[in-house]
Amino acid sequence: MNVRNTENLGSLSPFELKDELIKLAGSVTNRLMLNAGRGNPNFLATVPRHGFWQLGLFAMIESERSFSYLAEGVGGFPRRAGIEERFDLFARVHRDVPGVKFLSSAVSFVRDQLGLDAGDFIYEMCQGILACSYPVPDRMLKLTEEIVKQYVRKEMIGTHPFVGDFDLYAVEGGTAAMTYLFNSMKINHLLKAGDAIALGKPIFTPYIEIPELAEYGLTEVSINADPAAGWQYSTQELDKLRDPNVKAFFLVNPSNPPSVRVSDKSLEYLAGIVKDRPDLIILTDDVYGTFADNFVSLFAMCPRNTLLVYSYSKYFGATGWRLGVIAAHKSNIFDEKIAQLAEEEREGLNKRYSSITTEPEKLAFIDRIVADSRTVALNHTAGLSTPQQVQMALFSLFSLMDTAGSYKSAMKRLIRGRKAALYRGMGAEPEAVDDNVVDYYTLLDVEQMSRATGPEFVQWLLGAIKPHELLFRLAEEAGVVLLPGKGFGTVHPSGRVSLANLNEQDYVKIGQCVRKLRDEYLERYRQMGDDKDAKS
């Protein structure tokens, strides 16, 4: 594809544009394509996966204790009585098998640290991994919810003071959480067509695209992070939230694609705004928070106003598992807002949910999300598949038991080494160390990349290049695939580099390709200057 014909692709989502870039990058035979577009990590947590498969083996042994007289391969449900003792025997016999020690430690941790019944936990895990029963409760398995709560407290709340309790809904990853939340907010009149919602930009593209769909018809207000200030929000930008016409604030923290968490100062400022705007709805998507040290979510700061979305996909290398949760404080403004709706709206909602409860007006918002996810009529078969919930519990326990933070340290070393390699390839100094930067992605901004060459060149380049020209040239000429930052709400032309899905030497090569392209434009700019001088 000629870069002169890319203007008509400007309306495509970055993730759809990526497919066009991949076609170009793969168009040259025997050339290695370096796809740093999608953020699918090439690393994964092995220990809790070993645990999952060994748990499955134990669960099968439990199942085959029933109907063993049948030769046709029929088993039954695990039996609760004596299951803890049978598991202890299994763990001793197979103690040298990878994953068994982890499982044995997990049972001990659940019993001795979390205060839950070990036998009930083993029984729930066996039932779940065999997938022999519907998810009950449908919102989340009982002990699994308690375990994941502890994980959320550790990673999203930390040592920040937190009063009260919260509920979780296990969902098919962060994308399902977004879909369900937008849908239920509309159905329950928390957001109505024409309402203004604020988006903390740059932000994951669907948060920009979904509100614009005809079925939602929301007006977007941009809260722009400043790249010159380390991608933080200024107080002037955050003050847009003081406008009572702004009904909600959606953000990804740490951000996508800059991978920068909201600073402690800005979190405090946001909490102050919420005190003045106790009606403000907040949705925070914190999937990258686990790559930061001592991360504090806005959910911890403003729990009554905030819905938390968290996905296990990136931190544990589990994009294919589709594991995520929605968290809502038990005392929240969502339930209060629904109770304060006009009588006609409340009656309509009571009718909607009357088939699943005799007191629909008391149905919590998070349980309405569950019902709406199955069009209410199928509420009795709602819920994330039980094997998925089992793996979620094991991921959570793996993190909870890692009190030294060894896994987190390894993840940080991995992605930060790749960022250093990228800058090394560009012949540039790495950015100054900033505790708020988590480096899952990095943005290569045209203005930032060219700053060392002078502001005149930057201005010329911004005016000379066509939409997506640099990205298409990188794909066509070098086989490098990056996503356009524009689709995430950035101000200047930029490319999003995922630091999660290639090896370190690949990032050196990407840096070299970026530098070569920039130097070519610089040479063209200087040639123009020489031509001007010659004519004068």
Side-chain angles (χ1 to χ4, degrees), residues 109-110 113-117 120-121 124-125 137 139-154 164-170 312 325 330 389 392-393 396-397 400:
F109 185 86
V110 163
Q113 192 68 19
L114 302 185
L116 303 175
D117 187 283
D120 289 346
F121 167 69
E124 180 173 292
M125 292 295 99
R139 183 160 53 75
M140 197 164 186
L141 298 177
K142 185 178 178 183
L143 296 185
T144 299
E145 181 177 11
E146 293 303 314
I147 291 163
V148 175
K149 271 188 190 180
Q150 293 301 320
Y151 173 71
V152 170
R153 283 184 179 274
K154 175 189 176 186
D165 196 6
F166 55 92
D167 293 315
L168 295 176
Y169 172 25
Y312 287 71
V325 288
K330 287 183 179 292
Q389 294 196 52
M392 189 186 296
S396 298
L397 287 166
L400 287 167

Side-chain angles (χ1 to χ4, degrees), residues 41 43-46 48-49 151 155 290-291 310-319 321 323 392 394-399 407 411:
F43 50 79
L44 53 86
T46 59
R49 282 176 166 88
Y151 173 71
E155 296 291 353
T290 35
F291 289 92
Y310 177 73
S311 167
Y312 287 71
S313 60
K314 305 297 173 38
Y315 190 55
F316 296 99
T319 51
W321 259 118
L323 306 179
M392 189 186 296
L394 295 180
F395 281 149
S396 298
L397 287 166
F398 174 62
S399 175
Y407 181 78
M411 295 301 96

Side-chain angles (χ1 to χ4, degrees), residues 275-286:
K275 285 184 180 179
D276 297 334
R277 286 281 323 271
D279 63 319
L280 182 66
I281 291 172
I282 297 173
L283 188 158
T284 184
D285 184 335
D286 296 351

Side-chain angles (χ1 to χ4, degrees), residues 33 71 91 96 107 161 170 177 182 198 212 237 241 245 256 260 275-276 351 389 400 409 468 484 487 491:
M33 179 174 66
D96 295 327
V107 171
F182 271 103
E212 296 173 345
E237 287 293 306
L241 300 174
N245 292 314
N256 180 358
V260 176
K275 285 184 180 179
D276 297 334
K351 183 178 180 181
Q389 294 196 52
L400 287 167
S409 295
H468 307 315
V491 176

Side-chain angles (χ1 to χ4, degrees), residues 65 94 371 387:
R65 296 178 69 244
H94 300 278

Side-chain angles (χ1 to χ4, degrees), residues 273-281 304-305 333 336-337:
I273 291 175
V274 172
K275 285 184 180 179
D276 297 334
R277 286 281 323 271
D279 63 319
L280 182 66
I281 291 172
R304 295 191 70 254
N305 295 68
I333 65 167
E336 292 177 6
K337 282 177 175 284

Side-chain angles (χ1 to χ4, degrees), residues 380-443:
H380 62 291
T381 58
L384 184 66
S385 79
T386 57
Q388 287 173 281
Q389 294 196 52
V390 168
Q391 184 69 90
M392 189 186 296
L394 295 180
F395 281 149
S396 298
L397 287 166
F398 174 62
S399 175
L400 287 167
M401 293 189 294
D402 182 15
T403 54
S406 300
Y407 181 78
K408 178 172 291 191
S409 295
M411 295 301 96
K412 287 167 56 181
R413 285 197 310 272
L414 200 63
I415 58 178
R416 288 175 181 176
R418 294 171 178 181
K419 183 177 183 180
L422 176 70
Y423 276 80
R424 191 163 64 248
M426 290 193 297
E429 288 290 328
E431 297 169 328
V433 176
D434 184 342
D435 290 340
N436 294 317
V437 178
V438 300
D439 290 326
Y440 192 88
Y441 304 107
T442 191
L443 261 182

